[in-house]
Amino acid sequence: MSRAFNKQINTLNQEMVQIYRNDNAYISYTSAALPQRSAMIEILNEIRKLFYPRHYGDRQLFDCTIRYYIGNLMMSIEERLHHQVRLALLRANDTKPNDAKEDPEAIDEQASAISCEFMSRLPKVRQMLTMDVQAAYDGDPAASDLDEIVLTYPGIFTMMVYRLAHELYTMHVPILPRMMTEYAHSRTGIDINPGAVIGKYFFMDHGTGIVIGETTEIGDYVKLYQGVTLGALSTRGGQRLRGKKRHPTIGDRVTIYSNASVLGGETVIGHDTIIGGNCFITEPIPACSRVFIKNPDLTIEKGLDHRTGTEIPNPDAEPELVD
């Protein structure tokens, strides 16, 4: 420590401690008493092994060993998840008024019920992911096989995390669902709020930059391209908008091309509709529609070839006559 900082540290220490004391909402918490992002990432990694043991498992499996392997994984997942759910519920309980606080034993029982219910939903989530993988294969001619999709496609990883987080969201577990989807967001650039409702056979081609808001509803057999935003018209109302339908509804078998924005809770895209790239939509679209922006006029001007210093001819110009 430098001599100069040695003179400052006492004053800075007092300032920082006072900030914590003023921040009453958080002063009672330490990192050990809050849900852990690193723990949730480990749980997601274990669930991925459970869902795809051939791709992400850490041992060779045989008919005589797979049941033990899967059983051990499920016990580990439930134990870890129960602990994180309990921490999330305890934190939420601490923020309630004294007359509304629950008994810690009741919270522990609630955490057990949630973790067990979550585990019981895993087969359904796995079946939904099977259809998502198939949608990716059927919709992408660059995909060589299903293994490539499971191992490499960021959209499939994001959908696994989203579908797991959505189950916790529907069980009213605080913090953890958003912690999970923001982890996927940080890894893939795809931002799906855990509250969104997404049907079966869903595919995000490329996926980068896709945003799907909390109250979005998406039907079955929907395909989105990179940069699509399914968002709100405005969030200026802040917390007053909580719980209200702010994001669009997308019908079955809709395709939305890159960088299109579909905004607003009253915006409904009818089934079997195609939305072209770069469209900005804030009103309902009837079923079986085709929505496109007219191509802008292109202007091609002469340029300079920097290698030779000569002018590059305009391809639209009339050819010169040569005697």
Side-chain angles (χ1 to χ4, degrees):
M1 181 171 59
S2 67
R3 291 182 178 180
F5 185 63
N6 186 42
K7 296 177 181 180
Q8 293 179 284
I9 188 169
N10 286 336
T11 301
L12 290 174
N13 185 289
Q14 292 174 8
E15 290 179 8
M16 290 301 299
V17 170
Q18 188 57 48
I19 289 172
Y20 301 144
R21 287 173 176 164
N22 292 340
D23 195 358
N24 292 324
Y26 300 100
I27 192 63
S28 62
Y29 301 120
T30 64
S31 59
L34 290 171
Q36 296 292 300
R37 181 177 184 270
S38 59
M40 292 307 301
I41 292 172
E42 290 175 1
I43 290 170
L44 288 173
N45 287 333
E46 287 206 328
I47 294 176
R48 187 161 64 166
K49 292 179 184 178
L50 178 69
F51 282 174
Y52 302 106
R54 187 166 65 85
H55 302 84
Y56 295 102
D58 48 16
R59 68 182 64 178
Q60 191 172 5
L61 297 177
F62 303 94
D63 287 341
C64 61
T65 61
I66 188 168
R67 290 183 61 187
Y68 298 101
Y69 179 74
I70 296 303
N72 285 333
L73 267 177
M74 289 193 291
M75 287 190 293
S76 174
I77 292 166
E78 192 280 331
E79 181 180 7
R80 293 185 182 205
L81 181 65
H82 170 263
H83 181 61
Q84 295 303 312
V85 170
R86 179 177 174 275
L87 291 176
L89 295 177
L90 285 172
R91 176 205 164 273
N93 191 53
D94 262 2
T95 62
K96 296 178 182 178
N98 288 332
D99 58 351
K101 291 185 186 297
E102 298 182 58
D103 182 76
E105 291 186 5
I107 291 176
D108 192 56
E109 292 180 4
Q110 185 182 359
S112 295
I114 288 172
S115 61
C116 289
E117 174 63 21
F118 177 84
M119 297 301 294
S120 73
R121 297 185 184 187
L122 290 184
K124 181 192 74 171
V125 174
R126 178 61 169 79
Q127 290 173 349
M128 292 289 284
L129 288 172
T130 297
M131 288 185 279
D132 294 336
V133 171
Q134 190 63 48
Y137 180 74
D138 293 341
D140 186 2
S144 59
D145 53 49
L146 299 181
D147 287 340
E148 179 183 349
I149 292 168
V150 171
L151 289 168
T152 66
Y153 277 40
I156 294 303
F157 174 76
T158 304
M159 284 306 296
M160 182 196 78
V161 175
Y162 154 76
R163 293 202 184 279
L164 293 168
H166 181 70
E167 297 302 326
L168 291 176
Y169 180 93
T170 62
M171 290 185 272
H172 308 289
V173 177
I175 297 184
L176 300 186
R178 194 64 182 269
M179 191 180 286
M180 295 161 70
T181 54
E182 288 302 332
Y183 168 62
H185 181 196
S186 69
R187 279 196 52 180
T188 66
I190 302 170
D191 183 3
I192 306 180
N193 189 286
V197 178
I198 302 178
K200 63 185 180 183
Y201 201 84
F202 178 71
F203 176 43
M204 296 175 287
D205 200 345
H206 301 290
T208 305
I210 286 177
V211 177
I212 301 176
E214 180 186 29
T215 61
T216 304
E217 298 176 48
I218 299 176
D220 300 332
Y221 299 92
V222 170
K223 183 177 184 179
L224 306 182
Y225 284 81
Q226 67 273 15
V228 167
T229 297
L230 305 180
L233 273 171
S234 173
T235 57
R236 291 181 181 177
Q239 290 297 317
R240 289 176 297 171
L241 297 175
R242 178 181 292 276
K244 295 183 179 180
K245 180 81 163 100
R246 309 182 303 279
H247 305 94
T249 298
I250 311 298
D252 297 340
R253 297 175 299 279
V254 168
T255 298
I256 305 179
Y257 282 93
S258 58
N259 299 315
S261 294
V262 184
L263 310 179
E266 297 183 0
T267 303
V268 178
I269 307 301
H271 64 82
D272 297 286
T273 290
I274 295 177
I275 306 295
N278 300 307
C279 288
F280 188 86
I281 298 172
T282 60
E283 60 187 56
I285 302 296
C288 304
S289 299
R290 302 292 182 269
V291 183
F292 298 102
I293 294 176
K294 287 185 178 180
N295 288 332
D297 294 331
L298 297 179
T299 301
I300 303 175
E301 299 178 347
K302 291 182 178 180
L304 185 67
D305 188 334
H306 295 285
R307 296 169 298 176
T308 62
T310 60
E311 204 172 58
I312 301 173
N314 186 339
D316 291 338
E318 292 291 332
E320 295 181 4
L321 296 178
V322 180
D323 293 335

